[in-house]
Amino acid sequence: MNLNPNKIQFFLLAFFLFSSISFAQEKYTLSGIVKDAQGESLPGATVLISGTQKGMSTDDEGKFSFDLEEGIYSLEFSFIGYTKATKTVNLTKDQRITIVLREDNILMEEVQIFGTATDNTESVRMSDISLNIEQINQIPQFMGEVDIIKTLQFLPGVSSATEGASGFYVRGGGPDQNLILLDEAVIYNSSHLFGFFSVFNSFSIDNVTLVKGGMPAKYGGRLSSVLDVTQRSGSKQKFNFKGSIGTISSKFLIDGPIIKDKTSFQISARRTYVDLLLAPFIPDSSGFSGSTYFFYDLNARIDHKFNEKNSIALSGYYGIDKFVFKNSDQEFNLNIPWGNAMAGIQWLHTFSDDLFIKTSFNYSHYQFEFIGSQNQFEFRLLSGINDFNLKSDAFYHLNDQHILRFGIQGIHHTFTPSSVSAKSGDVEFDTGGIQHMYAIETGAYISDEYEINALWTLYGGLRLSTFSQIGAFTRYIKDDKGNTVDTKVYEKGETVAFYPRLEPRLSLRYMTGEASSIKAAYTLNYQYIQLASISPVALPTDVWIPASDKLLPQQSQQWNIGYFFNFKKHIFEASVELYYKDMQNLIEYKEGAEVADDINDNTDNQIVAGSGTSYGIEFFLKKVVGRFNGWIGYTLSYSNRVFPDINDGDAFPAKYDRRHDISAILNYNVNEHWQLGAAFVFATGNNITLPESRYNIEGNIVNQYGVRNGVRMSDYNRLDISVTYTPHNAKKKLNIETGEEEWIPRRFKSSFNFSIYNVYNKANPYFIYFDNEVNTQTNTVTTQAKQVSLFPILPAITWNFEF
């Protein structure tokens, strides 16, 4: 039987309308906003309707909305660090209320951390975690820093690969497969000091969301995960100053009103100063005088509220690492700076409590530069990427059953793959100059979160993405031996390659009990820009390149299913998740490729494509409330790659494949003054490729390599501990009206953090190299493999204060 498309559309439309319209008693909208005593909204506050299973977290603006039948309702409002509030509402018409929560200055018996317990089971989302600033501050501090990315690396399915590696790895994907956003702008390098610090200064952060499976349709352009970070807004009521002075780095934040109740600002900065402390101890006569390393970053944001329906936010970030090495004895110098920058504006327009649109325009920049010189020879390597990004996202709470989200996006990319220049004295070598590649990426999406009934919730989304590589561009055409035989020149704006793709996203939740549920998700993602790595570890030298007429977009299909449950009156959360990910059109450099091969050539001529799979099971147990809280997770996973041009076409493990990963974060609030923290991680060692034999041919050492990634380094494990002491930050004062004493917060607050990184001084592997000793008399070579480790035991003391 042939189905008439018009009839199908009619029945789908009828079903949608039927599910959206209630023929029962008329419903009214109960909406509002949750604020603190200073008038600042509280995103992520919990709103519950007593005696029902209805509840939600406030949105990014601190707002909430329910569609309810006529009646009397008791609402409970809570937020970490604030006293709970209740309000009874007699709902006979649409109502809008404002709730003010006041800061709780006394340590409560139950300290809540990492979200509401109901989110674990009732939300249709899976494989994600959201933190707000109050929850972030509960995380144990190490080296005086609450580091967001390091904390996320303790979650199942998330790892740091190796100590000293930039970025993080999610469910077998590479570091470039994570979409990292700061106030809607892309951040391309997430780490300082080769992974020891993240680029996110915790003072400037308001909310953090990590999605590692079941990616919503609003996100695109990456295969593995989304890390969405929002900077905090300054107070519109009073000026505040926060500072932190530590052993390795210091930071500060200042915020306050520009126009009271309308405009606010916040500025924060951070810098390491080991270079400043060591400089006096390196004499000028030393051959290494002038060598240094440091990083710094700056964050800023201005918020302005025009009226109840319109507000804007201007935000910016700039961060740079700089490594300088000088050896005057050999006249050898290195200067290696790299870093990110972003600037953006966001406009929020509220049509009603149920409908608002956020539009943003952002600029992102990442650049790496390597400058080396010896005697009169100088070598320079430059790579980077610039983006201009315009997007608009709409949120529409249609009714209690349907939440619609839809939006559009456009990005203009400018790539600078490895561009090499060299000179000797006044003589400059022809290396083809700085190369650029250009592309335009677009996206449009729509999604519906449909609560079918109390047991079933369905999320469905569809994203249409396109990618165009455009000129000006010169294609170097190769023969079978890799020699350039011709070129093809594309004029400015001319299309080189065009890829349209559809990306469906589906999630389903079924409540199996009052505190348990089963969730499943399927996502199809495409990635149009990728990181080409010529090093066995992820370093800033890796270069970003686009899909092109030679490189197809990367593709990933991920299936997830999990069981989520809470117990002991929601004090504990637990979950078991299984995932399978199939990836196509992954890239690697050809065997034997070198950076210098890009001279007068295209980077993608040195690239080969392949496929991969990643699958595993994740166990997670979290204690949500209480003086003793935290989590423990375990991941069993496999990640493999197949490249026809690598390893004779045989499958090999990905370099970030980790068979076992155990991690834990524990936090114990002894009393209102003392807080203890600990973090432990154990992970199977990374895979590397090593020579299986070496030959001495006419005085030259020639390596014969074995199976790609066929050797595992030793297992990685580390224990960190911290102790935080907080003096009395409140004082008792007699309330004349009530005659009772009450706690009044002090204006000046402080705390001291003592931490030890790598408590038992484990020499974890960074990389392995070979030391050769040649005996010319016997014409033999003795080879010894040696391991390089980066960070030994590192104690630190930090003083935190605010006023």
Side-chain angles (χ1 to χ4, degrees):
M1 181 180 67
N2 295 325
L3 294 178
N4 189 319
N6 293 327
K7 289 184 177 180
I8 296 175
Q9 292 176 349
F10 172 78
F11 284 119
L12 287 174
L13 179 60
F15 173 77
F16 177 78
L17 292 174
F18 180 79
S19 63
S20 302
I21 299 174
S22 172
F23 296 98
Q25 186 176 349
E26 183 179 1
K27 289 188 175 183
Y28 299 104
T29 299
L30 175 59
S31 60
I33 186 170
V34 181
K35 298 182 177 181
D36 63 14
Q38 307 302 322
E40 304 299 326
S41 61
L42 294 176
T46 301
V47 186
L48 298 174
I49 300 177
S50 300
T52 73
Q53 292 187 347
K54 289 185 177 295
M56 66 172 57
S57 296
T58 57
D59 62 21
D60 292 345
E61 304 302 314
K63 296 179 181 179
F64 63 92
S65 179
F66 295 98
D67 288 329
L68 303 170
E69 296 176 356
E70 182 178 341
I72 298 175
Y73 297 93
S74 177
L75 282 78
E76 299 178 358
F77 303 87
S78 61
F79 191 71
I80 295 176
Y82 292 78
T83 55
K84 292 182 178 180
T86 60
K87 186 174 180 65
T88 301
V89 176
N90 185 6
L91 191 64
T92 58
K93 59 180 181 179
D94 292 345
Q95 288 191 40
R96 189 177 191 276
I97 60 178
T98 299
I99 302 298
V100 177
L101 299 183
R102 301 190 180 278
E103 187 176 354
D104 189 353
N105 298 291
I106 307 302
L107 182 70
M108 294 181 295
E109 191 66 30
E110 291 189 349
V111 178
Q112 189 176 18
I113 188 168
F114 308 134
T116 58
T118 54
D119 284 346
N120 182 50
T121 57
E122 295 183 8
S123 171
V124 72
R125 303 188 311 269
M126 66 181 300
S127 305
D128 73 351
I129 184 171
S130 294
L131 308 173
N132 58 48
I133 186 62
E134 297 299 331
Q135 295 163 333
I136 291 168
N137 288 335
Q138 293 290 328
I139 299 170
Q141 298 181 30
F142 300 102
M143 308 305 292
E145 285 279 337
V146 175
D147 193 294
I148 300 305
I149 289 183
K150 276 193 174 298
T151 300
L152 296 176
Q153 288 169 357
F154 284 92
L155 293 170
V158 185
S159 66
S160 61
T162 61
E163 201 158 59
S166 300
F168 57 99
Y169 304 78
V170 178
R171 290 182 169 177
D176 61 324
Q177 294 176 356
N178 305 311
L179 177 63
I180 303 172
L181 301 173
L182 178 62
D183 281 351
E184 305 289 348
V186 176
I187 299 296
Y188 281 98
N189 183 39
S190 62
S191 301
H192 288 303
L193 191 54
F194 303 103
F196 193 77
F197 288 97
S198 79
V199 297
F200 301 115
N201 181 347
S202 61
F203 276 3
S204 67
I205 294 173
D206 188 32
N207 289 285
V208 177
T209 299
L210 175 71
V211 182
K212 55 182 180 173
M215 191 181 296
K218 68 173 291 187
Y219 299 114
R222 299 295 188 276
L223 300 188
S224 289
S225 76
V226 178
L227 178 60
D228 196 345
V229 181
T230 304
Q231 293 193 90
R232 60 176 292 177
S233 301
S235 172
K236 294 184 175 70
Q237 301 295 320
K238 64 177 184 177
F239 288 94
N240 303 283
F241 185 89
K242 295 180 68 174
S244 175
I245 301 174
T247 310
I248 294 178
S249 65
S250 290
K251 58 185 179 181
F252 77 86
L253 175 140
I254 183 170
D255 73 293
I258 299 175
I259 302 174
K260 197 169 184 180
D261 295 326
K262 293 186 73 69
T263 310
S264 66
F265 77 96
Q266 71 97 340
I267 299 174
S268 61
R270 176 175 58 164
R271 192 193 193 279
T272 55
Y273 38 71
V274 174
D275 57 316
L276 303 178
L277 297 176
L278 293 179
F281 300 98
I282 301 177
D284 294 338
S285 58
S286 170
F288 300 99
S289 177
S291 298
T292 185
Y293 171 83
F294 65 89
F295 79 78
Y296 66 86
D297 48 32
L298 304 169
N299 294 74
R301 179 171 168 133
I302 295 176
D303 290 82
H304 177 71
K305 183 178 181 181
F306 293 100
N307 50 48
E308 290 297 323
K309 293 187 178 295
N310 293 280
S311 61
I312 63 169
L314 303 171
S315 57
Y317 168 83
Y318 180 76
I320 192 167
D321 289 66
K322 189 167 185 178
F323 174 71
V324 177
F325 177 80
K326 294 184 177 181
N327 187 330
S328 58
D329 295 336
Q330 299 183 13
E331 298 186 24
F332 178 71
N333 298 301
L334 281 180
N335 184 4
I336 309 176
W338 71 94
N340 300 281
M342 63 77 66
I345 180 171
Q346 301 175 62
W347 170 39
L348 177 68
H349 177 68
T350 303
F351 293 93
S352 68
D353 289 331
D354 293 323
L355 174 62
F356 62 83
I357 294 179
K358 180 183 287 186
T359 302
S360 62
F361 178 69
N362 301 294
Y363 168 74
S364 298
H365 169 78
Y366 171 71
Q367 181 172 297
F368 170 83
E369 192 170 7
F370 177 99
I371 305 170
S373 63
Q374 187 168 25
N375 299 319
Q376 302 213 359
F377 180 77
E378 181 178 290
F379 175 84
R380 184 185 296 261
L381 173 69
L382 177 71
S383 67
I385 182 172
N386 294 322
D387 288 348
F388 288 96
N389 185 344
L390 177 64
K391 63 181 300 190
S392 187
D393 299 296
F395 174 95
Y396 183 30
H397 184 243
L398 183 63
N399 52 42
D400 267 1
Q401 287 185 292
H402 293 276
I403 298 176
L404 302 179
R405 295 176 176 87
F406 48 92
I408 57 174
Q409 180 181 26
I411 309 172
H412 184 278
H413 300 286
T414 301
F415 302 85
T416 307
S418 297
S419 295
V420 177
S421 63
K423 67 178 182 178
S424 181
D426 296 330
V427 179
E428 295 192 5
F429 299 97
D430 180 17
T431 58
I434 296 177
Q435 301 179 34
H436 293 296
M437 299 178 72
Y438 305 94
I440 296 175
E441 183 176 354
T442 67
Y445 72 91
I446 185 169
S447 68
D448 181 17
E449 185 175 324
Y450 174 30
E451 185 175 338
I452 302 171
N453 53 42
L455 297 179
W456 292 92
T457 298
L458 173 67
Y459 171 90
L462 184 64
R463 183 180 182 89
L464 170 63
S465 59
T466 70
F467 188 85
S468 302
Q469 184 197 358
I470 59 175
F473 175 69
T474 300
R475 165 60 65 195
Y476 292 86
I477 301 171
K478 303 286 187 175
D479 61 15
D480 294 339
K481 297 181 180 180
N483 300 313
T484 300
V485 295
D486 199 0
T487 60
K488 183 175 181 180
V489 177
Y490 294 85
E491 300 298 327
K492 182 177 180 180
E494 185 179 357
T495 300
V496 180
F498 176 68
Y499 299 103
R501 296 290 188 267
L502 280 175
E503 306 176 39
R505 315 286 173 81
L506 292 170
S507 298
L508 184 67
R509 183 227 67 201
Y510 173 69
M511 296 296 298
T512 57
E514 189 173 317
S516 62
S517 65
I518 295 174
K519 302 180 187 182
Y522 166 79
T523 58
L524 172 61
N525 292 58
Y526 287 94
Q527 179 167 334
Y528 301 100
I529 66 175
Q530 45 259 317
L531 202 61
S533 176
I534 206 164
S535 168
V537 295
L539 292 172
T541 52
D542 300 343
V543 298
W544 289 92
I545 58 174
S548 65
D549 54 333
K550 288 184 65 71
L551 294 179
L552 293 173
Q554 295 186 27
Q555 174 190 310
S556 170
Q557 295 187 80
Q558 185 174 171
W559 294 264
N560 305 273
I561 189 169
Y563 179 59
F564 301 79
F565 59 99
N566 303 335
F567 56 97
K568 293 289 185 181
K569 298 181 179 180
H570 297 291
I571 292 176
F572 290 91
E573 293 181 13
S575 64
V576 180
E577 289 188 57
L578 292 94
Y579 68 91
Y580 181 87
K581 188 190 301 184
D582 176 78
M583 295 169 283
Q584 301 295 325
N585 306 322
L586 305 179
I587 68 167
E588 293 278 359
Y589 269 105
K590 294 178 179 178
E591 291 184 332
E594 298 179 357
V595 174
D597 294 339
D598 290 342
I599 297 175
N600 290 318
D601 204 346
N602 306 123
T603 300
D604 55 13
N605 280 331
Q606 319 304 324
I607 300 295
V608 294
S611 61
T613 58
S614 179
Y615 52 94
I617 183 169
E618 300 170 355
F619 298 88
F620 192 48
L621 175 64
K622 176 169 60 175
K623 189 171 186 288
V624 183
V625 296
R627 293 183 181 274
F628 180 77
N629 50 65
W631 73 66
I632 183 169
Y634 168 72
T635 303
L636 172 66
S637 62
Y638 298 80
S639 186
N640 300 307
R641 300 290 184 266
V642 177
F643 283 74
D645 299 301
I646 296 177
N647 203 50
D648 295 325
D650 296 329
F652 59 91
K655 60 186 176 184
Y656 22 77
D657 169 56
R658 281 186 161 176
R659 190 69 62 246
H660 304 283
D661 194 312
I662 303 172
S663 55
I665 280 188
L666 303 176
N667 193 47
Y668 180 60
N669 294 280
V670 181
N671 52 42
E672 59 185 296
H673 300 298
W674 292 95
Q675 182 185 47
L676 309 179
F680 174 77
V681 61
F682 170 88
T684 305
N686 281 351
N687 300 298
I688 58 174
T689 306
L690 294 179
E692 60 181 8
S693 58
R694 317 189 83 190
Y695 303 95
N696 180 12
I697 301 177
E698 297 181 356
N700 298 316
I701 304 300
V702 177
N703 297 318
Q704 181 176 340
Y705 285 89
V707 176
R708 182 76 166 229
N709 294 335
V711 177
R712 279 196 184 272
M713 290 193 286
S714 60
D715 295 334
Y716 180 98
N717 60 89
R718 192 186 79 242
L719 172 68
D720 309 327
I721 61 174
S722 75
V723 178
T724 301
Y725 171 71
T726 305
H728 272 297
N729 287 327
K731 59 183 178 180
K732 284 186 176 181
K733 187 177 181 180
L734 182 66
N735 188 318
I736 299 177
E737 295 180 359
T738 63
E740 297 180 354
E741 287 187 331
E742 59 184 26
W743 287 97
I744 304 298
R746 298 181 187 272
R747 180 61 177 162
F748 185 88
K749 301 177 183 179
S750 68
S751 64
F752 297 88
N753 177 260
F754 312 88
S755 65
I756 301 177
Y757 180 91
N758 195 3
V759 171
Y760 45 83
N761 200 30
K762 174 70 164 60
N764 287 303
Y766 179 46
F767 65 84
I768 293 175
Y769 74 96
F770 291 91
D771 186 27
N772 301 315
E773 292 185 6
V774 180
N775 189 324
T776 56
Q777 295 181 347
T778 61
N779 198 32
T780 58
V781 179
T782 302
T783 301
Q784 183 178 7
K786 294 187 177 181
Q787 174 181 296
V788 174
S789 302
L790 287 184
F791 302 120
I793 182 172
L794 292 172
I797 301 176
T798 303
W799 177 42
N800 300 300
F801 57 91
E802 61 180 287
F803 55 86

